[in-house]
Amino acid sequence: MTKCKLEYIWLDGYQPTQSMRSKTKVVDDFSGNFEDAPVWSFDGSSTQQAPGGASDCLLKPVFCCPDPDRSGTGFLVMCEVLNADGTPHRSNGRATIKDKDDDFWFGFEQEYTIFDPETNRPLGFPAEGFPAPQGPYYCSVGAGKAVGRDLVEEHLELCLEAGLNVEGINAEVMMGQWEFQIFAKGACQAGDEIWIARYLLDRTAEKYGLVINYHCKPMQGDWNGSGMHANFSNTLLRTCGSKEVYDAVCQAFEPRISEHIDVYGADNDQRLTGLHETQSIDKFSYGISDRGASIRIPIFTVEHGWKGWLEDRRPASNADPYMVASAIIATVRTAKIPETV
């Protein structure tokens, strides 16, 4: 029999930002399918998900991929948290997604900042003072501009070996800030892959003695914040060929600002200021190629006859992709589509 290490990964109950937790289960001859991973339990009283007198919570496997960074046979198992009676726990954002037919496709652009724990500042920043103003760091190459590349490249390779659909990486606008992009057909799949990729990033950073900071404004001042831009489409947006439809979908977001901001990440008011390629947190706008808008209509969509996708630029880097996708799906379904379509 082959001993297989299953790393069960879940989200805890901490607020306003959940953390990842994980523990290892050793089993015999695992198939590699999440359906064959048994439901497991954990102490919810240690993760702010249950009282001590009734502490058992359940881990329901929902996604599985190879664990590329462990010797032998290992798998990463993303789990939903259930109450002891099998119902979704209140912290379970994945269970709120209403996309059973996977009609919605999502491409998340996950930004993050690599922090040096000795200085508690972004990697590359001096212990006191600041580096040169931002400008040369975006998509940079060369010492003094691109920092942390070894970690970033190792993370990319691990994600690809795990079978995650990473579509790219790049250095971002602030020194020490990077991004990876993941695309998936189906909101649940997209969220699963983002969380697994975050897990691999955090675990890889451990080896370098570095910390991954997902806060949306890790450095105050004239520095870009970190987002998790959500590119999304459904069959309607991919096939309609109508500017009027795109207008209707975008306009459906305007009266629901609070519903989105509530799940778009903690402290997002520090990032969504109207500066640094953002719209103000209390305003809504959309426009073609407008990176200062709440929702950007990509030029690709326009040039392909209004068949493509939209980008919601408001989600913060620390947002839960499950909750972001759930809110977007709910709002798109409220759009008043012209009857001629």
Side-chain angles (χ1 to χ4, degrees):
M1 293 183 291
T2 300
K3 294 293 183 181
C4 302
K5 290 162 282 189
L6 309 187
E7 192 69 15
Y8 279 59
I9 303 164
W10 73 96
L11 305 180
D12 66 21
Y14 277 67
Q15 294 297 326
T17 302
Q18 293 175 274
S19 302
M20 285 179 288
R21 306 295 180 112
S22 73
K23 61 176 182 173
T24 306
K25 187 177 189 66
V26 178
V27 301
D28 295 326
D29 297 325
F30 180 62
S31 68
N33 299 317
F34 76 82
E35 296 92 343
D36 295 327
V39 172
W40 203 10
S41 63
F42 70 96
D43 173 16
S45 69
S46 296
T47 61
Q48 296 195 0
Q49 289 169 300
S55 62
D56 283 348
C57 291
L58 304 178
L59 296 174
K60 175 188 174 184
V62 293
F63 177 85
C64 182
C65 66
D67 186 341
D69 198 33
R70 261 182 161 168
S71 60
T73 303
F75 296 88
L76 302 172
V77 183
M78 192 68 205
C79 300
E80 288 190 21
V81 176
L82 306 180
N83 297 308
D85 63 2
T87 58
H89 191 273
R90 56 177 172 73
S91 63
N92 184 345
R94 191 181 191 273
T96 70
I97 294 174
K98 308 301 181 185
D99 183 34
K100 300 306 181 184
D101 57 358
D102 291 343
D103 185 49
F104 280 83
W105 300 354
F106 282 88
F108 287 111
E109 303 174 35
Q110 176 68 67
E111 295 178 342
Y112 60 92
T113 306
I114 306 172
F115 259 53
D116 183 344
E118 294 187 1
T119 63
N120 197 33
R121 307 188 88 195
L123 192 65
F125 274 54
E128 297 183 5
F130 297 93
Q134 57 188 28
Y137 310 119
Y138 173 69
C139 294
S140 60
V141 61
K145 291 182 289 186
V147 297
R149 191 182 294 276
D150 287 349
L151 165 59
V152 174
E153 292 287 344
E154 182 173 344
H155 174 247
L156 172 62
E157 291 304 319
L158 290 172
C159 287
L160 294 175
E161 289 178 38
L164 303 182
N165 192 39
V166 178
E167 293 202 325
I169 60 170
N170 59 268
E172 266 302 334
V173 177
M174 184 176 71
M175 174 177 271
Q177 184 184 51
W178 291 79
E179 172 184 299
F180 64 86
Q181 306 95 33
I182 280 182
F183 168 78
K185 296 179 179 181
C188 289
Q189 178 86 8
D192 294 339
E193 295 202 21
I194 283 287
W195 278 115
I196 292 292
R198 285 183 183 181
Y199 174 83
L200 286 172
L201 182 58
D202 283 346
R203 200 172 75 179
T204 305
E206 291 176 13
K207 296 192 299 183
Y208 288 85
L210 297 170
V211 174
I212 304 302
N213 190 323
Y214 294 101
H215 192 273
C216 62
K217 191 68 174 181
M219 293 298 292
Q220 298 297 317
D222 193 21
W223 304 97
N224 270 35
S226 296
M228 187 182 63
H229 303 153
N231 299 275
F232 64 92
S233 70
N234 61 357
T235 298
L236 177 67
L237 292 172
R238 291 190 292 270
T239 62
C240 68
S242 167
K243 178 180 183 300
E244 290 72 27
V245 167
Y246 273 81
D247 285 336
V249 171
C250 289
Q251 289 163 10
F253 282 78
E254 185 164 11
R256 295 170 62 90
I257 293 175
S258 62
E259 288 88 342
H260 288 267
I261 296 304
D262 284 349
V263 297
Y264 276 12
D267 300 322
N268 215 4
D269 58 314
Q270 298 178 24
R271 168 179 164 263
L272 297 180
T273 62
L275 303 174
H276 303 110
E277 301 179 289
T278 69
Q279 175 57 281
S280 296
I281 194 168
D282 59 345
K283 297 179 180 177
F284 178 82
S285 62
Y286 67 95
I288 298 170
S289 294
D290 188 354
R291 282 179 162 75
S294 309
I295 291 183
R296 179 179 69 93
I297 303 174
I299 193 63
F300 176 96
T301 294
V302 178
E303 291 183 343
H304 286 75
W306 295 93
K307 297 178 181 180
W309 70 92
L310 291 167
E311 177 194 36
D312 192 332
R313 297 182 55 79
R314 297 171 296 172
S317 49
N318 54 5
D320 177 358
Y322 296 139
M323 296 297 290
V324 171
S326 181
I328 288 174
I329 291 168
T331 294
V332 170
R333 287 180 172 159
T334 69
K336 298 178 180 178
I337 304 303
E339 293 181 1
T340 56
V341 177

